[in-house]
Amino acid sequence: MNHLVRFAAVASVALLVSTAAQAQDCQVSITEPFDLTETDIASIYDCIGDKMVEGYSKGGDMVAKNYRNWTVTGTRHGVAGAHGNRLLLTYANDIAAEQYLKFAEEGVVMPAGSRLAKESIKINKKKIAAVVGPLFLMTKLEAGAAPETADWLYGGIQPNGKPMKFKQGFCHDCHMSWEEQDFLAYPLEEVRVGN
Ligand code: HEC
């Protein structure tokens, strides 16, 4: 099937089910995250952007309420594959921003108090809609506070505002691949701010 035909087919399926979908769903015409164009991603974000912060903030978490005032590190959401093929956009707090935005590849040491918050959007293939995914967090603690994770504390807030539960190793085992970058993976090159 060529792209146009496939698009038309998906679009008509989307129309059929849209009456059954909940009003707050953000319908999409393409359900494969890697096939989304910049325009698709922009319109998904238009629809879902405010709902994200609303959801994350439900539990009163201060980071959830404030991270959008931090420095955005990407020009748009990117689909890197990791983090469940979600659409990802990372924000850095004032302590982290300067060093993070260098996207340096060697000898990186982030200052204590650095925080990264990465919001995420999931394409739900059953609903044919974009839905809010977790807000993933990394916080750099004082030196020696968490030797097993190089002083990083991993956290997450669910779309309903509740904290995510997981073992630190679940996150760190993968982030270990970027030891020279102080365990930061950075956004995809094509969406990095300043690239
Ligand atoms: C399978 C590998 C993998 C696992 C597991 C993983 N991450 Fe990541 N993480 C990545 C990659 C790759 C990126 C960069 C992708 C992007 O943002 O486009 C990233 C980026 C991040 C960022 C933005 C800062 C940075 O590294 O540039 C945060 C915050 C983050 N992850 C938190 C977490 C948390 C919390 C967990 C555990 C719940 C976790 N990660 C589990 C691979 C992983």
Side-chain angles (χ1 to χ4, degrees), residues 56-79:
Y56 298 147
S57 301
K58 273 184 187 156
D61 186 279
M62 288 311 288
V63 169
K65 288 184 176 174
N66 288 326
Y67 77 92
R68 286 265 180 95
N69 300 322
W70 297 358
T71 302
V72 69
T73 69
T75 51
R76 62 169 170 84
H77 293 74
V79 183

mmCIF file of all heavy atoms in Angstrom, residues 56-79:
data_model
loop_
_atom_site.group_PDB
_atom_site.id
_atom_site.type_symbol
_atom_site.label_atom_id
_atom_site.label_comp_id
_atom_site.label_asym_id
_atom_site.label_seq_id
_atom_site.Cartn_x
_atom_site.Cartn_y
_atom_site.Cartn_z
ATOM 1 N N TYR A 56 0.014 15.596 35.596
ATOM 2 C CA TYR A 56 1.193 15.435 36.445
ATOM 3 C C TYR A 56 1.037 16.198 37.765
ATOM 4 O O TYR A 56 1.562 15.800 38.797
ATOM 5 C CB TYR A 56 2.455 15.971 35.740
ATOM 6 C CG TYR A 56 2.841 15.278 34.454
ATOM 7 C CD1 TYR A 56 3.454 15.995 33.414
ATOM 8 C CD2 TYR A 56 2.645 13.913 34.264
ATOM 9 C CE1 TYR A 56 3.842 15.382 32.229
ATOM 10 C CE2 TYR A 56 3.027 13.297 33.072
ATOM 11 C CZ TYR A 56 3.626 14.035 32.060
ATOM 12 O OH TYR A 56 4.010 13.426 30.885
ATOM 13 N N SER A 57 0.328 17.340 37.722
ATOM 14 C CA SER A 57 0.237 18.217 38.900
ATOM 15 C C SER A 57 -0.826 17.779 39.894
ATOM 16 O O SER A 57 -0.924 18.352 40.986
ATOM 17 C CB SER A 57 -0.081 19.652 38.457
ATOM 18 O OG SER A 57 0.910 20.124 37.592
ATOM 19 N N LYS A 58 -1.627 16.785 39.533
ATOM 20 C CA LYS A 58 -2.768 16.404 40.387
ATOM 21 C C LYS A 58 -2.382 16.056 41.812
ATOM 22 O O LYS A 58 -3.171 16.237 42.731
ATOM 23 C CB LYS A 58 -3.538 15.234 39.768
ATOM 24 C CG LYS A 58 -4.601 15.697 38.798
ATOM 25 C CD LYS A 58 -5.419 14.535 38.271
ATOM 26 C CE LYS A 58 -6.364 15.024 37.181
ATOM 27 N NZ LYS A 58 -6.755 13.950 36.270
ATOM 28 N N GLY A 59 -1.169 15.515 42.002
ATOM 29 C CA GLY A 59 -0.742 15.151 43.356
ATOM 30 C C GLY A 59 -0.057 16.301 44.082
ATOM 31 O O GLY A 59 0.456 16.112 45.177
ATOM 32 N N GLY A 60 0.001 17.472 43.457
ATOM 33 C CA GLY A 60 0.589 18.638 44.109
ATOM 34 C C GLY A 60 2.109 18.701 44.006
ATOM 35 O O GLY A 60 2.737 19.536 44.660
ATOM 36 N N ASP A 61 2.721 17.832 43.205
ATOM 37 C CA ASP A 61 4.182 17.818 43.085
ATOM 38 C C ASP A 61 4.697 19.147 42.500
ATOM 39 O O ASP A 61 4.205 19.611 41.481
ATOM 40 C CB ASP A 61 4.596 16.643 42.182
ATOM 41 C CG ASP A 61 6.096 16.477 42.128
ATOM 42 O OD1 ASP A 61 6.760 17.207 41.365
ATOM 43 O OD2 ASP A 61 6.601 15.611 42.877
ATOM 44 N N MET A 62 5.699 19.722 43.165
ATOM 45 C CA MET A 62 6.206 21.031 42.754
ATOM 46 C C MET A 62 6.942 20.983 41.414
ATOM 47 O O MET A 62 6.880 21.925 40.630
ATOM 48 C CB MET A 62 7.124 21.632 43.836
ATOM 49 C CG MET A 62 6.383 22.099 45.076
ATOM 50 S SD MET A 62 4.930 23.136 44.700
ATOM 51 C CE MET A 62 5.752 24.632 44.164
ATOM 52 N N VAL A 63 7.668 19.900 41.172
ATOM 53 C CA VAL A 63 8.363 19.776 39.878
ATOM 54 C C VAL A 63 7.330 19.695 38.759
ATOM 55 O O VAL A 63 7.442 20.344 37.721
ATOM 56 C CB VAL A 63 9.302 18.555 39.861
ATOM 57 C CG1 VAL A 63 9.806 18.277 38.456
ATOM 58 C CG2 VAL A 63 10.481 18.780 40.803
ATOM 59 N N ALA A 64 6.292 18.908 38.982
ATOM 60 C CA ALA A 64 5.238 18.757 37.978
ATOM 61 C C ALA A 64 4.627 20.115 37.643
ATOM 62 O O ALA A 64 4.340 20.421 36.484
ATOM 63 C CB ALA A 64 4.163 17.809 38.495
ATOM 64 N N LYS A 65 4.446 20.936 38.653
ATOM 65 C CA LYS A 65 3.828 22.241 38.431
ATOM 66 C C LYS A 65 4.768 23.219 37.742
ATOM 67 O O LYS A 65 4.314 24.146 37.083
ATOM 68 C CB LYS A 65 3.385 22.837 39.772
ATOM 69 C CG LYS A 65 2.179 22.137 40.372
ATOM 70 C CD LYS A 65 1.754 22.835 41.636
ATOM 71 C CE LYS A 65 0.500 22.215 42.210
ATOM 72 N NZ LYS A 65 0.172 22.794 43.521
ATOM 73 N N ASN A 66 6.086 23.034 37.946
ATOM 74 C CA ASN A 66 7.047 24.062 37.515
ATOM 75 C C ASN A 66 7.921 23.730 36.320
ATOM 76 O O ASN A 66 8.517 24.628 35.734
ATOM 77 C CB ASN A 66 7.991 24.408 38.681
ATOM 78 C CG ASN A 66 7.272 25.196 39.756
ATOM 79 O OD1 ASN A 66 6.384 25.992 39.457
ATOM 80 N ND2 ASN A 66 7.631 24.959 40.999
ATOM 81 N N TYR A 67 8.035 22.463 35.944
ATOM 82 C CA TYR A 67 9.094 22.127 34.984
ATOM 83 C C TYR A 67 8.950 22.845 33.641
ATOM 84 O O TYR A 67 9.939 23.101 32.965
ATOM 85 C CB TYR A 67 9.193 20.604 34.774
ATOM 86 C CG TYR A 67 8.115 20.024 33.891
ATOM 87 C CD1 TYR A 67 8.306 19.882 32.513
ATOM 88 C CD2 TYR A 67 6.891 19.642 34.427
ATOM 89 C CE1 TYR A 67 7.316 19.367 31.688
ATOM 90 C CE2 TYR A 67 5.885 19.132 33.606
ATOM 91 C CZ TYR A 67 6.108 18.995 32.244
ATOM 92 O OH TYR A 67 5.124 18.491 31.437
ATOM 93 N N ARG A 68 7.744 23.212 33.267
ATOM 94 C CA ARG A 68 7.588 23.908 31.970
ATOM 95 C C ARG A 68 8.210 25.306 31.977
ATOM 96 O O ARG A 68 8.376 25.905 30.919
ATOM 97 C CB ARG A 68 6.107 23.995 31.600
ATOM 98 C CG ARG A 68 5.512 22.669 31.133
ATOM 99 C CD ARG A 68 5.532 22.551 29.623
ATOM 100 N NE ARG A 68 4.956 21.295 29.175
ATOM 101 C CZ ARG A 68 3.670 21.146 28.806
ATOM 102 N NH1 ARG A 68 2.841 22.171 28.847
ATOM 103 N NH2 ARG A 68 3.231 19.968 28.403
ATOM 104 N N ASN A 69 8.529 25.815 33.204
ATOM 105 C CA ASN A 69 9.237 27.103 33.287
ATOM 106 C C ASN A 69 10.743 26.917 33.227
ATOM 107 O O ASN A 69 11.494 27.884 33.243
ATOM 108 C CB ASN A 69 8.886 27.838 34.596
ATOM 109 C CG ASN A 69 7.404 28.130 34.688
ATOM 110 O OD1 ASN A 69 6.786 28.464 33.679
ATOM 111 N ND2 ASN A 69 6.835 27.982 35.870
ATOM 112 N N TRP A 70 11.215 25.670 33.213
ATOM 113 C CA TRP A 70 12.645 25.400 33.116
ATOM 114 C C TRP A 70 13.082 25.592 31.655
ATOM 115 O O TRP A 70 12.280 25.960 30.796
ATOM 116 C CB TRP A 70 12.961 23.967 33.571
ATOM 117 C CG TRP A 70 12.640 23.663 35.003
ATOM 118 C CD1 TRP A 70 12.144 24.524 35.942
ATOM 119 C CD2 TRP A 70 12.789 22.393 35.656
ATOM 120 N NE1 TRP A 70 11.979 23.853 37.133
ATOM 121 C CE2 TRP A 70 12.362 22.563 36.990
ATOM 122 C CE3 TRP A 70 13.234 21.129 35.241
ATOM 123 C CZ2 TRP A 70 12.382 21.511 37.918
ATOM 124 C CZ3 TRP A 70 13.252 20.080 36.152
ATOM 125 C CH2 TRP A 70 12.835 20.280 37.477
ATOM 126 N N THR A 71 14.352 25.277 31.380
ATOM 127 C CA THR A 71 14.875 25.433 30.019
ATOM 128 C C THR A 71 14.532 24.204 29.181
ATOM 129 O O THR A 71 14.867 23.077 29.568
ATOM 130 C CB THR A 71 16.412 25.592 30.066
ATOM 131 O OG1 THR A 71 16.710 26.731 30.875
ATOM 132 C CG2 THR A 71 16.985 25.793 28.671
ATOM 133 N N VAL A 72 13.872 24.437 28.058
ATOM 134 C CA VAL A 72 13.537 23.307 27.188
ATOM 135 C C VAL A 72 14.800 22.931 26.397
ATOM 136 O O VAL A 72 15.541 23.799 25.956
ATOM 137 C CB VAL A 72 12.337 23.647 26.278
ATOM 138 C CG1 VAL A 72 12.686 24.701 25.234
ATOM 139 C CG2 VAL A 72 11.797 22.384 25.602
ATOM 140 N N THR A 73 15.072 21.648 26.263
ATOM 141 C CA THR A 73 16.337 21.215 25.641
ATOM 142 C C THR A 73 16.139 20.673 24.232
ATOM 143 O O THR A 73 17.109 20.365 23.546
ATOM 144 C CB THR A 73 17.032 20.140 26.494
ATOM 145 O OG1 THR A 73 16.261 18.930 26.437
ATOM 146 C CG2 THR A 73 17.169 20.584 27.948
ATOM 147 N N GLY A 74 14.878 20.574 23.803
ATOM 148 C CA GLY A 74 14.580 20.079 22.460
ATOM 149 C C GLY A 74 13.711 21.069 21.710
ATOM 150 O O GLY A 74 12.977 21.855 22.325
ATOM 151 N N THR A 75 13.798 21.038 20.380
ATOM 152 C CA THR A 75 12.967 21.929 19.566
ATOM 153 C C THR A 75 11.540 21.379 19.432
ATOM 154 O O THR A 75 10.619 22.089 19.057
ATOM 155 C CB THR A 75 13.566 22.074 18.161
ATOM 156 O OG1 THR A 75 13.805 20.762 17.636
ATOM 157 C CG2 THR A 75 14.891 22.825 18.221
ATOM 158 N N ARG A 76 11.392 20.095 19.698
ATOM 159 C CA ARG A 76 10.077 19.441 19.692
ATOM 160 C C ARG A 76 10.250 18.084 20.352
ATOM 161 O O ARG A 76 11.373 17.718 20.720
ATOM 162 C CB ARG A 76 9.535 19.279 18.269
ATOM 163 C CG ARG A 76 10.426 18.390 17.399
ATOM 164 C CD ARG A 76 9.765 18.010 16.092
ATOM 165 N NE ARG A 76 10.674 17.366 15.175
ATOM 166 C CZ ARG A 76 10.988 16.070 15.175
ATOM 167 N NH1 ARG A 76 10.479 15.256 16.086
ATOM 168 N NH2 ARG A 76 11.824 15.576 14.289
ATOM 169 N N HIS A 77 9.150 17.336 20.492
ATOM 170 C CA HIS A 77 9.248 15.982 21.036
ATOM 171 C C HIS A 77 9.932 15.074 20.012
ATOM 172 O O HIS A 77 9.657 15.164 18.821
ATOM 173 C CB HIS A 77 7.862 15.425 21.351
ATOM 174 C CG HIS A 77 7.183 16.147 22.486
ATOM 175 N ND1 HIS A 77 6.663 17.407 22.347
ATOM 176 C CD2 HIS A 77 6.960 15.782 23.768
ATOM 177 C CE1 HIS A 77 6.147 17.796 23.503
ATOM 178 N NE2 HIS A 77 6.308 16.829 24.389
ATOM 179 N N GLY A 78 10.800 14.211 20.492
ATOM 180 C CA GLY A 78 11.479 13.258 19.623
ATOM 181 C C GLY A 78 11.101 11.832 20.001
ATOM 182 O O GLY A 78 10.692 11.575 21.142
ATOM 183 N N VAL A 79 11.218 10.926 19.035
ATOM 184 C CA VAL A 79 10.942 9.513 19.299
ATOM 185 C C VAL A 79 12.274 8.769 19.223
ATOM 186 O O VAL A 79 12.786 8.499 18.140
ATOM 187 C CB VAL A 79 9.940 8.929 18.284
ATOM 188 C CG1 VAL A 79 9.610 7.477 18.627
ATOM 189 C CG2 VAL A 79 8.666 9.763 18.233
#
